[in-house]
Amino acid sequence: MKIGIVCYPTFGGSGVVATELGKALADRGHQVHFVTYNQPARLDLFSENLFYHEVTVSKYPLFDFPPYELALASRLVDVVRFEKLDVLHVHYAIPHASAAFMAKQILATYGISIPVVTTLHGTDITLVGNDRTYKPVVEFSINKSDGVTAVSEHLKKDTYRFFDIQKDIRVITNFIDMSRFSLKPKDHFKKAIAPEGEKILVHTSNFRRVKHAQDVVRIFAKVNAVLPSKLLMVGDGQDRPECEQLARDLGVSENVRFLGKQDAVEEILSVSDLFLMPSQSESFGLAALEAMACKVPVVSSNTGGLPELNVEGVTGFLRDVGDVDGMAERAIYILEDEARLAQFKENALEHARTFELSNILPQYENMYQQVIANL
Ligand code: GMT
């Protein structure tokens, strides 16, 4: 198939999923065309089946807000016509689903029909999409998509709860490429971070408010008071300065390293003992799955799709959003006993295997075949 993929080209989960999916589809022999405003962060390799078409938004003094959605729709028309694409797959509803709808209408005037698959990722439904600034457009463009997928059962339920949706939403969970995300021998790095064999806790996110990154520091301070430990904070964003200040205020800054945005996250996860994800909302929690694939158990909040990923008492523990004491107590429980920690690590890996890329990829291929056949 010739597949067009639209996504945010950033380190955010939806962009990561879209890029990894595109790379895997290209490996399977499909021709994959990314249409976005920047080279996607993880599109870092050459493949004869991978193409990148940049969307450029021309600036004009009249525009306070350059119309990206129109530029994207125009670029999609161009790419679909000239590359003869079979299907468009857009990740994150805003503004990708409505831009694809517009492109589809324009293409019809050239006698070209193309199906659109929209994958909902989370905040496009729960936070941004549900805001009345965007809601009518999001609802309309989901209903006009030929296929709709959501990354967890919980997100599917939320979509039906928040919007008037007439479409069937198919759950296709996020996936992990275990050939990349697996335990790497990085003992020298572990020694550098934790020279006395301290336990290493880790958090990776974009430090947006929804991630409750300050709770990570609070949980760590409680763990650190009981167990020799270090905290690695990976990523960057809005709440990072507050987290740094909080680490100083709580007197743990010497044991906390802020590593900023990192490409080789799997190497950092490989030296870690516990992943913390105390998010306020999380449709799936891809970062936690990446950790589990590297044998790192998870202490998380019990929000959104996280209970579908993190199994209570098996791969880690889940507590209410904001329950810093509860999460710290469970973190200590996992870390204080070597045999117990080893068991949790095994369980995390075992469960991550159920999300292996090879299990999930055919589900997207079936979806494409179905929408193409039904057109
Ligand atoms: O969580 C973020 O800040 C990024 C966001 C995105 O849209 O890129 O992630 C969402 O999609 C990921 C991939 O499907 C999910 O794993 C995340 O749970 C989801 N984030 C939220 O729901 C807050």
Side-chain angles (χ1 to χ4, degrees):
M1 282 178 273
K2 289 186 171 188
I3 303 155
I5 292 188
V6 179
C7 64
Y8 283 105
T10 57
F11 279 94
S14 64
V16 168
V17 169
T19 312
E20 298 295 347
L21 175 64
K23 287 182 344 192
L25 288 164
D27 279 348
R28 295 259 288 190
H30 301 291
Q31 205 181 80
V32 178
H33 294 259
F34 284 91
V35 185
T36 181
Y37 60 84
N38 250 331
Q39 177 94 0
R42 287 204 188 168
L43 197 64
D44 48 3
L45 51 89
F46 173 77
S47 152
E48 56 181 344
N49 289 332
L50 283 175
F51 299 82
Y52 164 57
H53 308 270
E54 190 156 310
V55 180
T56 45
V57 189
S58 30
K59 294 201 170 71
Y60 187 67
L62 185 69
F63 296 152
D64 277 340
F65 306 100
Y68 176 67
E69 189 174 348
L70 302 189
L72 173 61
S74 294
R75 194 75 171 113
L76 286 173
V77 170
D78 178 68
V79 174
V80 172
R81 282 183 73 199
F82 292 100
E83 302 291 350
K84 304 197 172 13
L85 301 191
D86 298 308
V87 60
L88 278 179
H89 187 179
V90 304
H91 290 259
Y92 205 90
I94 307 165
H96 302 149
S98 45
F101 172 74
M102 201 187 313
K104 187 174 162 156
Q105 300 305 302
I106 298 166
L107 285 159
T109 67
Y110 293 98
I112 298 170
S113 342
I114 184 155
V116 174
V117 174
T118 298
T119 290
L120 309 172
H121 279 274
T123 48
D124 46 352
I125 297 305
T126 52
L127 295 178
V128 195
N130 198 29
D131 183 323
R132 68 190 171 124
T133 321
Y134 302 112
K135 194 170 176 174
V137 177
V138 174
E139 188 171 87
F140 175 82
S141 41
I142 292 173
N143 278 322
K144 288 292 177 186
S145 298
D146 300 278
V148 184
T149 79
V151 297
S152 65
E153 290 292 344
H154 192 273
L155 182 60
K156 174 179 171 174
K157 281 200 195 95
D158 270 355
T159 310
Y160 284 125
R161 194 153 60 92
F162 296 149
F163 300 95
D164 181 10
I165 300 295
Q166 281 94 48
K167 287 272 159 194
D168 271 350
I169 299 177
R170 191 178 299 178
V171 174
I172 303 184
T173 66
N174 286 336
F175 53 83
I176 190 83
D177 177 359
M178 309 261 314
S179 65
R180 172 175 171 191
F181 283 91
S182 59
L183 193 64
K184 307 269 186 281
K186 289 281 156 196
D187 285 351
H188 58 289
F189 179 40
K190 193 169 186 131
K191 271 238 146 55
I193 300 287
E196 307 297 329
E198 297 93 332
K199 293 287 175 273
I200 300 179
L201 291 84
V202 65
H203 172 75
T204 69
S205 80
N206 51 21
F207 288 72
R208 284 191 298 136
R209 213 115 284 176
V210 69
K211 300 294 173 185
H212 278 202
Q214 282 108 316
D215 280 358
V216 173
V217 179
R218 291 188 188 101
I219 294 164
F220 174 72
K222 288 178 185 293
V223 173
N224 191 246
V226 179
L227 289 175
S229 45
K230 302 282 179 184
L231 172 65
L232 300 177
M233 297 286 269
V234 183
D236 212 342
Q238 196 183 12
D239 276 359
R240 177 175 161 173
E242 278 87 348
C243 289
E244 292 191 49
Q245 187 56 49
L246 186 62
R248 287 178 206 142
D249 295 346
L250 295 175
V252 292
S253 60
E254 275 189 12
N255 293 314
V256 183
R257 295 273 288 263
F258 288 86
L259 300 177
K261 290 181 184 162
Q262 296 282 335
D263 283 325
V265 189
E266 65 278 16
E267 296 186 1
I268 299 165
L269 293 170
S270 288
V271 301
S272 302
D273 297 296
L274 186 68
F275 188 84
L276 297 176
M277 184 175 254
S279 305
Q280 178 205 322
S281 113
E282 204 67 67
S283 68
F284 181 85
L286 183 65
L289 175 57
E290 291 179 344
M292 287 160 63
C294 296
K295 272 189 117 168
V296 186
V298 175
V299 168
S300 71
S301 48
N302 55 14
T303 185
L306 282 173
E308 295 168 51
L309 175 66
N310 188 16
V311 186
E312 173 77 9
V314 178
T315 61
F317 289 100
L318 304 96
R319 290 293 174 269
D320 289 345
V321 174
D323 182 5
V324 168
D325 287 342
M327 291 188 217
E329 187 269 320
R330 288 291 88 186
I332 294 164
Y333 174 80
I334 293 176
L335 293 170
E336 70 187 351
D337 182 297
E338 287 301 335
R340 189 182 295 146
L341 174 59
Q343 187 60 58
F344 272 95
K345 287 186 173 190
E346 287 299 334
N347 297 349
L349 174 60
E350 191 64 29
H351 192 54
R353 286 204 175 101
T354 60
F355 296 91
E356 228 308 357
L357 173 65
S358 54
N359 295 330
I360 309 298
L361 193 65
Q363 299 180 37
Y364 278 116
E365 289 177 310
N366 288 344
M367 181 66 150
Y368 301 153
Q369 278 152 359
Q370 203 173 321
V371 292
I372 291 169
N374 291 344
L375 200 63

